[in-house]
Amino acid sequence: MNRGILLLFIIMASITACGPSKSDRLIQELNQKEHDDSVKRVAEDEMKHKIEMRFALNDSIKRDKIEISNLKKSIDNAKSEFEVQTDKLARIKEFKFLRASSEREREIRNQVDVINKVESLKDELANKLVNLQVKLDYFNSEVQKYTDNVR
């Protein structure tokens, strides 16, 4: 019987000795809570950053769309101006009474220079438009990344 009681006492002592004490459990719980709070703060900060980036990208997209619209109008104006200047060149090339051939050639050269400048401007605007559309496509893909992760 003494052996049974002794064995029971040893088993009870070993069971209570195996587990953490109440203070150890409180410390573990506090550490776990601090860890969970830290993870939560990091996740909230990351979500806030993603939302801010999405809004910033959307603002850039809006500005770029306005600029694209303005560039398209400018290109249309340059095309119209090109046509006007080309028509003017055709009129310069026509025969005019009492105009010297040297004057005619000078007017033609000047008009060709004007046409070349208008064409260069049109090409420059077209290149800006292409670059801006590439930039806009990039921003749209970036917004999609942030949108997919925020939902």
Side-chain angles (χ1 to χ4, degrees), residues 17-91:
C18 290
S21 68
K22 188 173 184 175
S23 62
D24 288 341
R25 278 183 282 162
L26 287 175
I27 290 172
Q28 286 176 348
E29 288 174 9
L30 286 174
N31 287 339
Q32 185 64 40
K33 184 175 178 349
E34 286 177 10
H35 177 266
D36 292 347
D37 289 345
S38 175
V39 168
K40 183 180 176 183
R41 272 192 310 274
V42 168
E44 287 171 351
D45 289 345
E46 185 176 331
M47 184 65 67
K48 182 181 175 186
H49 172 73
K50 287 179 180 180
I51 291 170
E52 289 171 351
M53 285 299 295
R54 188 176 67 195
F55 283 125
L57 287 167
N58 281 330
D59 285 344
S60 294
I61 287 170
K62 287 176 189 174
R63 282 192 309 273
D64 288 348
K65 284 182 177 180
I66 291 169
E67 191 172 345
I68 284 173
S69 176
N70 292 337
L71 278 172
K72 286 180 178 179
K73 289 175 187 174
S74 296
I75 289 170
D76 288 342
N77 290 340
K79 286 177 181 178
S80 297
E81 184 64 22
F82 179 80
E83 292 299 320
V84 167
Q85 296 303 326
T86 302
D87 291 344
K88 188 174 180 182
L89 178 61
R91 286 191 309 274

